[in-house]
């Protein structure tokens, strides 16, 4: 007979997800994958596939190494706003939890301000507008706006997915709160939640068949994002970004071929690369990431994402343990036997 008061809490979630070392490896794979895709894609951001093929004719027409450059003139191994804004968001989540025991939207907005004042390599127009609005009025979200359907809120949401593992309600609430600081549009919201839930399933150990089913079911519910047949657009419009990322994540079983197919479409290549890297990196885990790309990442970047990935997973498990303690029903002091 099953125990009517089963032990709830982190051990249950963690056991279902395959244990701590599997979850930690997937979380680190996601964060390193994000940084790798950002660093690789930045070289060809805003280029067309034809321009990329011409520029890399000496490599069979394929851009395949983390060499920096691009319109931002990056040093090899450096990353752009996709990774640095994610790190700023993750820092704010960790800080908010440590100081107040909860995720605090104002702490996140202040984190974006500090990030922006630190002169990041780049900052999208919608992100800049949102940060300036917060500075001017202190408001944590602007009115819903047709101009907010870019991918800027989606590109930085990985830390929220990690910090709320095992707690879907908190994931949705914090995701939308951080998104609305700069982006307030139903397509951005749908993408943040849809890609986030898929990522969380991968982090919890979902296999290829489950991912395929999830991706197709979500696109059927949100037909704007249908990605088969693949429309082959990879711009910063969040629909284009999501179609490119989902299509390649599901079409290629291995990290490297999925990544090369994605960034060689150009356009918003650092962001499509980052999001593809996040999903595919979670799927294969950090230990299975291509070694040459891990080595080409700047050591400071690799260290920052490594530290933050483990801190966020630790935070999620601590939150699960707290919730389990609060939720555990106490056994009644005496149970009468079911017979006279
Ligand atoms: Mn970028
Ligand atoms: Mn970009």
């Amino acid at each position: 007979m099953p125990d009517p008061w089963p032990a709830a809490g982190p051990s249950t979630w963690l056991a279902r997800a395959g244990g701590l070392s599997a979850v930690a490896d997937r979380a680190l794979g996601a964060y390193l994958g994000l940084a790798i895709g950002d660093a690789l894609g930045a070289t060809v951001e805003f280029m067309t596939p034809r321009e990329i093929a011409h520029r890399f004719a000496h490599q069979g027409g394929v851009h395949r190494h983390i060499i920096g450059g691009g319109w931002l003139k990056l040093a090899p191994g450096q990353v752009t706003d996709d990774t640095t804004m994610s790190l700023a968001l993750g820092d704010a989540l960790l800080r908010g939890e440590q100081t107040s025991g909860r995720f605090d939207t104002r702490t996140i907005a202040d984190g974006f301000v500090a990030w922006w004042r630190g002169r990041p390599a780049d900052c999208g127009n919608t992100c800049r507008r949102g940060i300036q609005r917060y500075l001017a009025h202190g408001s944590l979200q602007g009115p819903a706006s047709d101009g907010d359907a870019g991918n800027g809120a989606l590109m930085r949401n990985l830390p929220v997915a990690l910090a709320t593992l095992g707690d879907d309600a908190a994931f949705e609430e914090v995701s939308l709160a951080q998104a609305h600081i700069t982006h307030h549009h139903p397509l951005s919201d749908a993408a943040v939640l849809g890609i986030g839930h898929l990522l969380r399933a991968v982090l919890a150990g979902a296999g290829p068949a489950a991912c395929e089913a999830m991706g197709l079911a979500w696109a059927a519910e949100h037909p704007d994002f249908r990605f088969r047949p693949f429309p082959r657009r990879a711009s910063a419009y969040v629909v284009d970004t999501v179609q490119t990322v989902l299509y390649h994540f599901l079409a290629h079983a291995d990290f490297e071929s999925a990544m090369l197919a994605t960034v060689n479409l150009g356009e918003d290549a650092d962001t499509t690369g980052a999001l593809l890297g996040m999903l595919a990196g979670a799927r294969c885990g950090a230990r299975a990431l291509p070694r040459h790309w891990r080595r080409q990442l700047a050591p400071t970047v690799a260290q920052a994402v490594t530290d933050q990935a483990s801190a966020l997973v630790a935070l999620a498990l601590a939150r699960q343990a707290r919730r389990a303690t609060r939720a555990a029903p106490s056994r009644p002091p005496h149970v009468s036997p079911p017979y006279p």
Side-chain angles (χ1 to χ4, degrees), residues 207-270:
C211 289
E212 169 100 6
M214 257 185 107
L216 290 174
W218 179 77
E221 269 172 57
H222 300 86
D224 286 307
F225 293 96
R226 275 192 297 231
F227 52 91
R228 288 183 191 153
F230 178 44
R232 296 192 71 80
R233 286 184 299 263
S235 80
Y237 175 45
V238 72
V239 171
D240 291 353
T241 303
V242 166
Q243 286 170 329
T244 290
V245 169
L246 280 182
Y247 177 80
H248 290 105
F249 173 62
L250 296 175
H252 301 267
D254 79 291
F255 185 94
E256 186 160 358
S257 55
M259 181 63 77
L260 290 177
T262 300
V263 298
N264 279 278
L265 286 174
E267 298 194 67
D268 198 8
D270 61 327

Side-chain angles (χ1 to χ4, degrees), residues 152-172:
L154 172 64
M155 77 181 186
R156 63 178 183 238
N157 203 45
L158 167 61
V160 179
L162 294 177
T164 59
L165 282 173
D167 185 352
D168 285 344
F171 165 71
E172 297 196 354

Side-chain angles (χ1 to χ4, degrees), residues 79-174:
V79 289
T80 76
D81 53 351
D82 307 72
T83 306
T84 60
M85 224 182 172
S86 297
L87 288 166
L89 173 53
D91 275 340
L93 295 176
L94 292 163
R95 223 178 16 257
E97 256 280 335
Q98 279 154 9
T99 52
S100 64
R102 66 197 173 86
F103 299 123
D104 176 55
T105 311
R106 198 161 294 282
T107 306
I108 297 172
D110 290 338
F112 290 162
V113 169
W115 167 81
W116 186 55
R117 287 188 169 147
R119 297 177 175 275
D122 59 340
C123 176
N125 291 330
T126 313
C127 286
R128 183 183 309 108
R129 265 202 309 277
I131 292 168
Q132 286 172 335
R133 184 211 67 248
Y134 172 67
L135 276 172
H137 309 293
S139 59
L140 292 170
Q141 68 172 51
S145 162
D146 284 347
D148 288 4
N151 57 23
L154 172 64
M155 77 181 186
R156 63 178 183 238
N157 203 45
L158 167 61
V160 179
L162 294 177
T164 59
L165 282 173
D167 185 352
D168 285 344
F171 165 71
E172 297 196 354
E173 188 190 326
V174 180

Side-chain angles (χ1 to χ4, degrees), residues 24 27-29 31-32 87 162 303-314:
L28 180 56
Y31 226 143
L32 283 170
L87 288 166
L162 294 177
Q303 193 62 54
V305 302
T306 301
D307 292 346
Q308 196 177 91
S310 68
L312 291 169
V313 170

